[in-house]
Amino acid sequence: MPIKFPFTKSKPKPDPQSPGLDYKQLPQHVAIIMDGNGRWAKNKGLPRIAGHKEGMNVVKKIVRHASNLGIEVLTLYAFSTENWKRPKTEVEFLMKLPMEFLNTYLPELIEKNVRVETIGDFERLPEHTKTAVQEAKDRTKDNTGLILNFALNYGSRYEMVEAVKIVAEEVKQGNLDVDKIDEGCISRHLYTADLKEPDLLIRTSGEQRLSNFLLWQLAYSEFWFTDVYWPDFDEAYFEKALYDYQNRKRRYGGV
């Protein structure tokens, strides 16, 4: 069902102007930097992990809505290579979240025909995290609906360096001519090789930077920022981002 405007939620809130969405003009791939869990918790006098816990519930709501809208790919920045620098107790909690999330939500994902995928250095994750995520990937691998793509232990610069290494090795082995290296060649060796590049990037919490997320893939994506912390983000804000996307002109360097 379409979300109607204006909003009735408490501040902060966007400036809604949309009567609704054009469901024939939705972005195919939406990427989200889910930011602000810790600050949300601090403002409420709660530990940071409470913000991450609430953020997980928001993931469920947004995944359901994206699936119902018919969006093809939803990429969520769940844990970056830089996040290992956080306090040990927080990192340990974050590494348990995928297991908790998927243990309770996997049946619904299967029912909704959602396919779980990941990008990032998967092998360096803790065993219990890998086991839970791999089970979800295995049990949903034949689903044909929304691709729910978690960026776990992901860093875009690392991704590009690894891609360049593969290309360099192909040249070294004589399997690739240097003159044949182009953008497509690099793209084929990124984690996202089988995915369309994002049409829209959403970042919550008021920050306006990419934070080492999909630097190559977001070259021509539309960006949408909101001051709302991720635990307060909901379907209405999501539709507002989609509506604003629909009202932009994507020229890809042209006129």
Side-chain angles (χ1 to χ4, degrees):
M1 296 294 293
I3 301 294
K4 298 299 183 183
F5 299 97
F7 297 104
T8 58
K9 293 181 69 64
S10 59
K11 294 182 179 180
K13 58 187 178 182
D15 178 24
Q17 299 177 1
S18 165
L21 286 171
D22 178 353
Y23 293 99
K24 297 180 181 179
Q25 299 295 327
L26 292 171
Q28 296 177 37
H29 184 174
V30 178
I32 305 180
I33 300 176
M34 307 177 292
D35 198 14
N37 290 343
R39 280 167 284 172
W40 178 89
K42 181 180 179 181
N43 288 348
K44 295 181 177 295
L46 300 171
R48 288 178 59 84
I49 60 175
H52 297 309
K53 181 82 170 181
E54 186 61 29
M56 183 180 71
N57 294 328
V58 175
V59 169
K60 294 179 181 179
K61 291 193 296 185
I62 298 304
V63 170
R64 288 187 190 114
H65 202 53
S67 177
N68 290 338
L69 289 172
I71 289 172
E72 296 179 15
V73 185
L74 183 66
T75 295
L76 303 178
Y77 204 7
F79 192 88
S80 76
T81 51
E82 290 76 27
N83 287 156
W84 296 108
K85 301 173 186 176
R86 294 186 176 187
K88 182 179 179 182
T89 53
E90 183 177 351
V91 171
E92 289 176 347
F93 182 83
L94 289 170
M95 287 296 103
K96 292 177 181 177
L97 274 182
M99 181 169 53
E100 181 177 345
F101 174 84
L102 293 167
N103 282 347
T104 59
Y105 193 39
L106 185 56
E108 182 176 338
L109 293 176
I110 294 172
E111 180 184 351
K112 290 283 189 180
N113 197 30
V114 173
R115 190 172 97 223
V116 176
E117 295 288 352
T118 61
I119 55 174
D121 191 352
F122 189 76
E123 291 306 314
R124 295 190 184 185
L125 294 170
E127 285 301 322
H128 60 83
T129 306
K130 290 194 293 185
T131 298
V133 174
Q134 190 60 54
E135 179 184 358
K137 291 169 71 172
D138 290 342
R139 293 181 62 186
T140 63
K141 62 183 176 65
D142 295 324
N143 289 355
T144 57
L146 171 73
I147 296 174
L148 175 55
N149 185 38
F150 288 107
L152 280 169
N153 194 27
Y154 175 85
S156 188
R157 288 182 174 181
Y158 176 82
E159 174 188 27
M160 287 190 284
V161 168
E162 292 302 299
V164 170
K165 286 180 180 178
I166 295 172
V167 172
E169 185 61 27
E170 290 181 351
V171 173
K172 181 180 178 181
Q173 297 296 328
N175 297 323
L176 177 65
D177 191 293
V178 171
D179 293 333
K180 298 295 184 181
I181 300 174
D182 57 13
E183 290 184 12
C185 179
I186 300 297
S187 294
R188 286 191 294 273
H189 295 294
L190 297 175
Y191 295 131
T192 54
D194 296 327
L195 299 175
K196 182 184 184 295
E197 292 181 348
D199 301 294
L200 172 66
L201 169 75
I202 297 170
R203 181 165 187 159
T204 58
S205 88
E207 305 294 351
Q208 298 186 24
R209 56 180 178 268
L210 293 181
S211 297
N212 200 18
F213 183 53
L214 300 176
L215 301 178
W216 178 281
Q217 297 89 337
L218 292 171
Y220 280 102
S221 303
E222 295 295 322
F223 293 0
W224 192 86
F225 300 108
T226 177
D227 290 335
V228 175
Y229 295 138
W230 178 247
D232 287 328
F233 195 79
D234 62 11
E235 299 93 335
Y237 289 116
F238 187 60
E239 285 208 3
K240 171 59 175 161
L242 301 180
Y243 174 79
D244 287 351
Y245 165 84
Q246 290 179 347
N247 285 274
R248 296 182 186 180
K249 301 296 183 183
R250 304 183 73 190
R251 299 183 179 87
Y252 299 95
V255 294

